[in-house]
Amino acid sequence: MKEFLALIVVVVLTGIIYWGVEPFAHGQMYPEVAPADYNFTDLKPLATKEGNVASGKELVNSNCLACHSIKAEGMESPFAPEDALAAYGVVPPDLSSAGLIYEKNFLGNVIKNASIATKQTHKFDGNHPMPAYDWMSDAEIADIVAYLRSIAPQSLSNKEVFIDACGRCHSVRYDKWSAEGGMTDYLGTKVPDLSMMIRSRSLDYLHTFINDPQKRLAGTAMPRVGLTEEAENQVIAYMESVGDSKKDEREALGYKLIIFMVVMGVVAYLWKRKIWHDVH
């Protein structure tokens, strides 16, 4: 009977620590942040919601192709990578998938003013590598967005989304992906390899950080990426496939181990009772 009471005390104390003390300590170390905002409600919507594709193509040809490539349309960058690095400090991204992976209103605001949209005004005070196009009307910017959305692919694999959204900055050596484009110099800090990031951060942390890095790490050089919720899920799914490919197998084994420990605990208790019963 004493042993059973001792077991109850242990269970109660463990429960208090696990459901009481541990969440409090976790809350002190990792303060709660606002959930991910996939509508980017802090950014003012364009006055014109639907743009004209034909007009957008003309605007892209005259304003964007001086720096960016659109390989899906056969439009190559006018700069060699080394020349772009020398001119801008970074290789401008290809825009083939921009209309698919980036949220529509965010994409319009990036065109209008990249520093504000990406929350990098603390780093780039009027000297962002991408110039602001806030001199354009909202209708013209909406036209550009409409064109980029019209040429975007219907879908991309998880890895393709990761490469387009994150692969210019972050390497994934476990999948033999190496980031290029001068991003370390551009951001002014070492950019981490993401091979094992899925194992060191919770899913909630990753979602809120990718959606808005400033929520988790104020002052960080990482820009707000502006992905749609679907594209962000694909990025995290790719990270999981590389850094935690055995997750399902590991979790299934965990349940089996718990059941095994419970069964063996019951067997040990019954065996103990039998031994002491024979002694007495």
Side-chain angles (χ1 to χ4, degrees), residues 20-259:
V21 177
E22 194 279 334
F24 173 76
H26 187 274
Q28 294 298 307
M29 295 178 64
Y30 304 102
E32 186 175 352
V33 302
D37 175 14
Y38 298 107
N39 294 316
F40 303 96
T41 52
D42 62 301
L43 297 176
K44 184 179 179 180
L46 298 178
T48 304
K49 293 185 178 180
E50 298 300 327
N52 181 280
V53 173
S55 176
K57 182 175 183 178
E58 293 180 7
L59 289 167
V60 167
N61 288 338
S62 58
N63 293 278
C64 306
L65 295 184
C67 302
H68 297 277
S69 62
I70 307 181
K71 295 178 181 178
E73 294 292 289
M75 303 173 184
E76 295 291 336
S77 171
F79 292 100
E82 56 272 16
D83 294 332
L85 279 173
Y88 307 113
V90 64
V91 177
D94 182 86
L95 301 181
S96 298
S97 67
L100 173 68
I101 66 176
Y102 299 116
E103 194 274 331
K104 180 180 178 181
N105 186 53
F106 178 88
L107 185 56
N109 275 272
V110 165
I111 297 169
K112 182 177 286 189
N113 191 310
S115 289
I116 294 175
T118 60
K119 290 194 171 183
Q120 288 184 298
T121 52
H122 62 287
K123 180 171 179 57
F124 299 106
D125 185 14
N127 62 337
H128 195 282
M130 177 171 168
Y133 282 81
D134 47 9
W135 52 269
M136 282 186 172
S137 67
D138 278 12
E140 290 175 315
I141 293 176
D143 290 346
I144 293 175
V145 172
Y147 171 68
L148 293 177
R149 286 167 63 86
S150 74
I151 64 171
Q154 293 297 312
S155 63
L156 291 171
S157 68
N158 295 342
K159 183 174 182 177
E160 288 172 330
V161 173
F162 176 88
I163 289 174
D164 286 356
C166 314
R168 295 171 62 243
C169 300
H170 296 282
S171 296
V172 185
R173 66 178 183 273
Y174 281 19
D175 199 30
K176 298 180 175 60
W177 173 259
S178 179
E180 297 178 354
M183 299 308 295
T184 296
D185 294 334
Y186 164 63
L187 295 174
T189 185
K190 183 177 176 60
V191 181
D193 182 280
L194 298 184
S195 297
M196 293 296 291
M197 190 63 68
I198 194 73
R199 300 289 294 272
S200 61
R201 300 293 184 184
S202 68
L203 288 178
D204 177 66
Y205 184 99
L206 289 175
H207 278 292
T208 53
F209 188 84
I210 295 171
N211 180 256
D212 186 352
Q214 300 300 326
K215 287 181 179 179
R216 292 288 186 177
L217 190 61
T220 181
M222 178 173 165
R224 177 165 59 172
V225 184
L227 297 176
T228 65
E229 184 173 6
E230 181 181 355
E232 185 177 294
N233 286 333
Q234 286 189 263
V235 166
I236 292 178
Y238 168 72
M239 293 170 61
E240 190 171 82
S241 70
V242 174
D244 198 8
S245 59
K246 299 293 185 180
K247 179 182 178 181
D248 292 340
E249 182 180 338
R250 186 182 68 252
E251 291 182 346
L253 181 62
Y255 291 119
K256 293 176 182 177
L257 180 61
I258 291 173
I259 294 173

Side-chain angles (χ1 to χ4, degrees), residues 3 268-280:
E3 293 84 358
Y269 176 73
L270 294 176
W271 178 254
K272 173 183 175 298
R273 287 195 60 183
K274 181 179 185 305
I275 295 297
W276 281 101
H277 180 271
D278 293 343
V279 170
H280 291 294

